[in-house]
């Protein structure tokens, strides 16, 4: 639960500004926990960013699979992924960091 809240907080912040300007303290404040708790779950900011990107990637995979499962074709899958990326700007921000 706390780990998920930290990943969600990191994603929100990285969607608003570059990851280089997001600190562990910022993530802690966004998640309403202490910085020490962030370090309890993640060894470093880089690990938190990697886990955030991984979480988003799993959601992208799910969106693509859902598009195909609903009877769509590859075009529908690509559209679903593009829509997803439009709604989740943090992923691009983290990948470009």
């Amino acid at each position: 639960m706390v780990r998920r809240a930290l990943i969600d907080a990191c994603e929100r912040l990285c969607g608003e500004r570059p990851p280089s300007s997001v600190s562990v303290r910022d993530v802690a404040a966004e998640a309403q926990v202490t910085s020490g708790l962030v370090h309890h779950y993640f060894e470093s900011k880089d690990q938190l960013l990697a886990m955030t990107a991984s979480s988003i990637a799993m959601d992208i995979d799910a969106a693509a699979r859902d598009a195909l499962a609903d009877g769509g074709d590859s075009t529908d899958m690509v559209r679903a992924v593009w829509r997803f990326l439009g709604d989740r700007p943090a992923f691009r921000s983290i990948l470009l960091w």
Side-chain angles (χ1 to χ4, degrees), residues 57-72 76-77 80-81:
M58 287 189 292
D59 291 345
I60 290 171
D61 182 62
R65 290 175 185 271
D66 288 348
L68 293 175
D70 291 340
D76 295 318
M77 181 184 70
V81 169

Side-chain angles (χ1 to χ4, degrees), residues 2 5-6 9 12 25-35 37-38:
V2 173
L6 293 170
R12 281 191 301 277
R25 189 173 294 152
D26 294 333
V27 173
E30 179 73 15
Q32 300 180 341
V33 300
T34 65
S35 296
L37 196 55
V38 177

